Amino acid sequence: MKTKKQWLVYGLIALGFFSSTQAMAQRNSSKRIKPNVLMIYTDDHRFSGIHALMDMPVKTPNMDALVKDGIAFTDTYLMGAFTGATCIPSRAMLLSGKQLFDLTEVGRSIPSTDTTMGEAFGQAGYNTFMVGKWHQDNASLIRSFDSGATVMGRGVYLTDHYRMPLWDWDKTAKFSAKDAYLLVYDKDGKTVRRPVTKDDKRGPTGTEEDGPHTSEIFAKGAIDYINGYKKKAPFFMYLAFHAPHDPRQAPKPYLDMYPVDEMEVTPSYMSEHPFDNGDMVLRDEALATWPRTPQVSKQQLADYYAIITHLDAQIGKVITALKANGTYENTLIVLAGDSGLAVGNHGLMGKQSVYNEDGIHVPFILSGGAVKQKGVRINALSYTHDIFPTICEEAGIPIPASVKGKSLIPVVEGSVNEIHTYTYHAYKQFQRAYRKGDYKLIEYVRAKGMDKKTGEFESGSRVTQLYNVKKDPWETFNLSIFPEQQQRLHQMQNEIQQAAIDLGDNKEHIGYPYDFWDFY
């Protein structure tokens, strides 16, 4: 016969089991009501381009609110690129969940064997919709979404946010040059469309007097969809902005927020990069004169902040639409950037590097009413291709077998402290980086390359850099020359070579004509 004490113990155990089971049931029950998902992807938007993340003087009240109202991942990175247009592989990695060295055609296409993000949510019962920039093949676009609004694609490009060639969503995937159109204002100030003609020269020449900005166009497409959505099924929206990609255009009131003479250069500002990094003369680096005087860099930075603040206002309008029609509380808002951007850092202007803010460090935020954790910051190492499985798990849908990225939800829930013990980064055949703990190794080589017009060439420099990125987040102080760092340096040099083998970083596997390791 059990004593009163024993019965009390058994009762407490049973109560604990019941409470645990009840909590688990509540979590499972809540997952049965799938949240809407709004996936916002920004272009050339470095981590420090959101005020709340790094306290830089850029005004982003709406993105700051997402940080405050959700989970911010502070160490998310682009793995790299084998093309100067780093947004090509970045978007391929985001949408497929595949790592850099496993992409098809270095990210230009997503094969049908890879389940895309849109397909995964569609298969889980979502109505899928896209608006904005697409940088992969048309076949992967149309199979990923049920519908869409304006699409910015490839092939017709006027380098102008106010004169951006667009296509209407087309399930037959024509998107031909002859069908591209511009949105402009007529004499009464109404937005009308007109065809792109041979007389339309590359810009940037447009202003807010000529037509709506791309950020306004894409936000309107998202808002119209939200306002008109009547289906019972949840929706998945891919909202891909072209901002803050150059040309760094914004309406005058936003430009006026950042007087050039009041700007301060970043801690990593340099008038020129101290050596040839392999890609010093491509388009991005031609956007500003050499040397990058403080005045030149301040002007570029002012324009960059202005287009970000304008973008932030459009994101705010989309969020307001969610709240106005009552869908915000059951919506998971995901905000991420596709790459960093130098804008004067280390004497560079573009994103063709493996420095953090200049090329690979990006914002990644989970927010909205569907996220219950508020004001949380996660410093576990992660990649952009981890976003796909993370939001699948957060939304309670299956992660496709073709996805190789890792969900970060175990870190969010506290069951583990890290998913990746290191990160590895590549830029063409010229640069490699390896981050482990507080330290980051960057290795450069002089390597061969091919120019379509001039033929084979050699560029780059054999340089080693070592940074303590926790103490020196802007990567200004190279530790590789110091005797006390030699043991760490040699260990990381051995580890980066092993990581290259483990990840398949070789030209045969990648399908790329040059191999960094042939020149190392």
Side-chain angles (χ1 to χ4, degrees):
M1 181 178 292
K2 295 179 175 63
T3 66
K4 287 183 178 180
K5 185 175 181 180
Q6 287 174 318
W7 280 115
L8 179 61
V9 171
Y10 290 146
L12 290 172
I13 292 172
L15 179 62
F17 175 77
F18 173 77
S19 299
S20 176
T21 304
Q22 186 181 44
M24 186 179 297
Q26 288 173 344
R27 286 197 297 272
N28 292 338
S29 175
S30 66
K31 287 186 177 180
R32 290 194 193 106
I33 304 173
K34 294 185 176 67
N36 302 308
V37 178
L38 170 58
M39 174 74 235
I40 302 172
Y41 212 41
T42 57
D43 199 338
D44 290 0
H45 191 185
R46 67 193 189 195
F47 180 83
S48 57
I50 296 179
H51 175 78
L53 296 180
M54 214 162 169
D55 203 30
M56 299 302 289
V58 57
K59 300 175 178 68
T60 53
N62 294 293
M63 288 185 270
D64 291 352
L66 292 178
V67 173
K68 183 179 179 180
D69 202 35
I71 304 165
F73 297 85
T74 61
D75 278 294
T76 299
Y77 300 90
L78 171 66
M79 198 173 202
F82 286 94
T83 169
T86 63
C87 46
I88 294 175
S90 176
R91 286 155 200 271
M93 283 184 273
L94 172 83
L95 296 165
S96 71
K98 302 283 282 290
Q99 60 111 332
L100 176 66
F101 309 109
D102 292 338
L103 297 179
T104 300
E105 298 179 71
V106 298
R108 291 188 175 89
S109 66
I110 303 176
S112 59
T113 50
D114 292 347
T115 302
T116 67
M117 186 183 290
E119 284 182 297
F121 278 88
Q123 292 166 5
Y126 279 71
N127 183 272
T128 57
F129 174 90
M130 78 81 61
V131 56
K133 183 171 181 175
W134 189 261
H135 229 316
Q136 278 62 52
D137 60 296
N138 289 342
S140 61
L141 168 60
I142 61 169
R143 77 170 193 263
S144 295
F145 304 100
D146 298 316
S147 62
T150 44
V151 179
M152 172 193 157
R154 299 91 50 226
V156 184
Y157 186 56
L158 297 179
T159 321
D160 198 322
H161 280 280
Y162 292 106
R163 298 182 307 122
M164 183 59 67
L166 304 166
W167 288 263
D168 289 329
W169 172 260
D170 181 0
K171 196 64 177 175
T172 64
K174 290 180 181 177
F175 302 114
S176 63
K178 65 181 180 62
D179 294 326
Y181 63 87
L182 303 179
L183 290 178
V184 298
Y185 296 135
D186 66 12
K187 59 183 178 60
D188 298 320
K190 294 181 180 179
T191 302
V192 297
R193 61 174 68 189
R194 72 165 178 82
V196 181
T197 71
K198 293 181 180 179
D199 295 328
D200 288 311
K201 306 301 181 185
R202 283 180 173 253
T205 59
T207 72
E208 60 265 41
E209 302 298 322
D210 300 311
H213 192 281
T214 60
S215 295
E216 297 162 5
I217 294 168
F218 300 150
K220 182 180 184 301
I223 291 167
D224 288 348
Y225 176 81
I226 291 167
N227 289 340
Y229 194 74
K230 305 300 182 184
K231 296 179 174 65
K232 290 184 178 180
F235 65 77
F236 170 83
M237 181 192 296
Y238 178 55
L239 171 54
F241 286 103
H242 187 45
H245 191 288
D246 71 89
R248 294 183 259 281
Q249 297 165 298
K252 189 175 184 301
Y254 293 90
L255 295 171
D256 290 344
M257 291 182 185
Y258 300 98
V260 175
D261 58 355
E262 296 179 13
M263 297 299 297
E264 293 184 5
V265 296
T266 63
S268 60
Y269 160 75
M270 293 180 182
S271 61
E272 62 179 341
H273 195 260
F275 56 88
D276 178 3
N277 70 5
D279 233 350
M280 301 293 292
V281 294
L282 78 174
R283 189 196 71 89
D284 287 36
E285 295 306 327
L287 294 174
T289 58
W290 296 89
R292 321 303 199 185
T293 64
Q295 187 70 12
V296 167
S297 291
K298 287 179 180 181
Q299 180 66 68
Q300 293 287 328
L301 196 57
D303 293 343
Y304 185 53
Y305 285 172
I307 192 173
I308 290 175
T309 301
H310 177 249
L311 168 66
D312 180 82
Q314 311 320 306
I315 290 173
K317 293 175 184 177
V318 176
I319 295 170
T320 297
L322 288 171
K323 292 179 177 179
N325 71 4
T327 54
Y328 177 84
E329 289 306 318
N330 192 42
T331 298
L332 167 63
I333 300 174
V334 186
L335 173 66
D338 72 349
S339 71
L341 192 68
V343 199
N345 295 343
H346 299 100
L348 302 171
M349 283 292 152
K351 65 267 188 174
Q352 294 79 15
S353 79
V354 290
Y355 291 120
N356 280 0
E357 296 309 303
D358 310 31
I360 60 173
H361 194 192
V362 298
F364 171 32
I365 301 161
L366 298 179
S367 193
V371 174
K372 303 310 175 187
Q373 301 97 320
K374 306 298 181 185
V376 174
R377 301 210 178 192
I378 303 291
N379 62 3
L381 296 174
S382 56
Y383 295 108
T384 52
H385 55 276
D386 294 327
I387 295 173
F388 185 166
T390 299
I391 64 176
C392 283
E393 186 167 358
E394 180 70 14
I397 75 165
I399 299 171
S402 59
V403 170
K404 303 306 178 187
K406 305 296 183 184
S407 171
L408 302 173
I409 297 303
V411 176
V412 174
E413 294 178 342
S415 59
V416 299
N417 293 324
E418 61 184 10
I419 301 296
H420 301 282
T421 57
Y422 68 85
T423 64
Y424 180 94
H425 309 277
Y427 179 68
K428 291 187 176 180
Q429 65 271 38
F430 302 114
Q431 307 168 27
R432 293 296 182 271
Y434 178 76
R435 162 78 184 277
K436 188 174 183 181
D438 293 351
Y439 289 85
K440 178 179 168 187
L441 170 71
I442 305 178
E443 296 280 25
Y444 303 81
V445 294
R446 184 166 182 81
K448 293 181 179 179
M450 178 62 68
D451 184 273
K452 291 181 180 179
K453 294 181 180 180
T454 60
E456 193 168 66
F457 64 89
E458 281 192 8
S459 63
S461 311
R462 182 66 186 93
V463 174
T464 295
Q465 295 171 325
L466 179 67
Y467 297 106
N468 183 324
V469 290
K470 284 297 182 184
K471 294 181 178 179
D472 179 22
W474 292 91
E475 295 165 303
T476 63
F477 193 65
N478 183 6
L479 300 170
S480 67
I481 63 172
F482 292 94
E484 62 270 24
Q485 297 292 342
Q486 294 311 296
Q487 182 177 353
R488 173 179 283 109
L489 175 63
H490 294 150
Q491 180 178 341
M492 293 185 74
Q493 287 175 325
N494 289 332
E495 290 178 2
I496 192 175
Q497 294 178 72
Q498 184 59 52
I501 295 170
D502 295 342
L503 293 167
D505 179 11
N506 62 77
K507 61 188 176 186
E508 289 80 13
H509 178 71
I510 301 164
Y512 189 71
Y514 299 98
D515 194 327
F516 172 91
W517 299 104
D518 287 343
F519 304 100
Y520 184 65

